[in-house]
Amino acid sequence: MRTEFLLDYELGRVLALLTRQNALILETVLHTGLRISDVLDLRTEQLAPSMWVLEKKTGKKHRCGLPKDLLAAIRAQAGEVWAFPGSKPGTHKTRQAVWKDVKRAAKAFRLPQNIGTHSFRKVYAVRLREKYGSIEKVQRALAHSSLAVTAIYAMADQLLSDRQQLMERRRAARGR
């Protein structure tokens, strides 16, 4: 099942319930559009206001930036090697640990949609589309080879809204 988009108020609630480190990880996704695995692979020495990241999935280099306050918060908790150290010495945080925390927060708020760490990448895509009005720019930022896949991300807010309206119409029709 695909992960879905988060509305702003849902996003704020979920971030507030996450552990501090997991919230920083997902704020990094929100500011860079990187996949969770690429964020977790960040090394402390890489951290900079503007940096290059080699994406695992695509093999492409991605230039991204971090706001000063987010960068300072990441550096404050970073380990000697990894920007987001794991619980075992010498390891970084795992995707599964972050995913589990997101699922816990979503369950606490009884969110109806299926959300996961990738939902934050979809929020990034929608925000970029709203800012620039161009799916092509979103495609480049996400390093997608397919414009159709990018459209699913960049229009995630509309897809969620359409699905919610359909569900409401079905409920109303049953109530008659």
Side-chain angles (χ1 to χ4, degrees):
M1 180 181 266
R2 287 185 180 182
T3 58
E4 298 174 81
F5 181 74
L6 285 161
L7 301 170
D8 282 341
Y9 78 93
E10 295 168 330
L11 181 68
R13 287 178 177 176
V14 169
L15 285 171
L17 272 189
L18 298 176
T19 66
R20 182 65 183 136
Q21 186 184 53
N22 289 342
L24 289 172
I25 290 165
L26 292 170
E27 286 175 31
T28 303
V29 172
L30 288 170
H31 282 281
T32 63
L34 292 170
R35 290 174 183 83
I36 190 76
S37 57
D38 293 323
V39 171
L40 295 173
D41 277 347
L42 289 173
R43 293 181 171 268
T44 303
E45 66 191 24
Q46 277 181 277
L47 295 174
S50 181
M51 58 191 169
W52 285 98
V53 176
L54 182 63
E55 294 183 341
K56 273 186 183 179
K57 185 175 179 178
T58 63
K60 297 176 184 175
K61 277 191 163 188
H62 182 91
R63 187 169 188 81
C64 54
L66 294 171
K68 204 182 330 181
D69 56 336
L70 178 57
L71 181 58
I74 295 169
R75 283 182 174 155
Q77 61 79 62
E80 193 174 311
V81 176
W82 302 106
F84 300 103
S87 54
K88 294 179 185 172
T91 65
H92 61 65
K93 185 81 165 218
T94 66
R95 294 181 296 112
Q96 294 83 353
V98 182
W99 179 86
K100 195 175 191 179
D101 201 20
V102 168
K103 289 295 189 183
R104 180 191 55 77
K107 186 176 180 182
F109 285 113
R110 295 185 173 131
L111 296 180
Q113 69 270 42
N114 178 38
I115 70 155
T117 56
H118 215 64
S119 298
F120 293 79
R121 189 164 148 91
K122 291 180 180 183
V123 171
Y124 170 82
V126 168
R127 287 178 175 174
L128 215 58
R129 186 205 78 223
E130 289 172 348
K131 182 176 181 179
Y132 295 111
S134 166
I135 290 182
E136 291 80 9
K137 282 189 178 190
V138 178
Q139 180 183 16
R140 282 192 301 275
L142 294 178
H144 282 162
S145 55
S146 165
L147 192 59
V149 171
T150 303
I152 292 169
Y153 281 65
M155 304 303 285
D157 58 334
Q158 308 256 295
L159 295 171
L160 178 63
S161 176
D162 292 349
R163 196 179 84 245
Q164 287 173 336
Q165 288 174 8
L166 177 63
M167 290 170 62
E168 287 172 17
R169 283 195 299 269
R170 286 180 180 166
R171 269 188 244 127
R174 276 188 242 133
R176 289 186 211 172

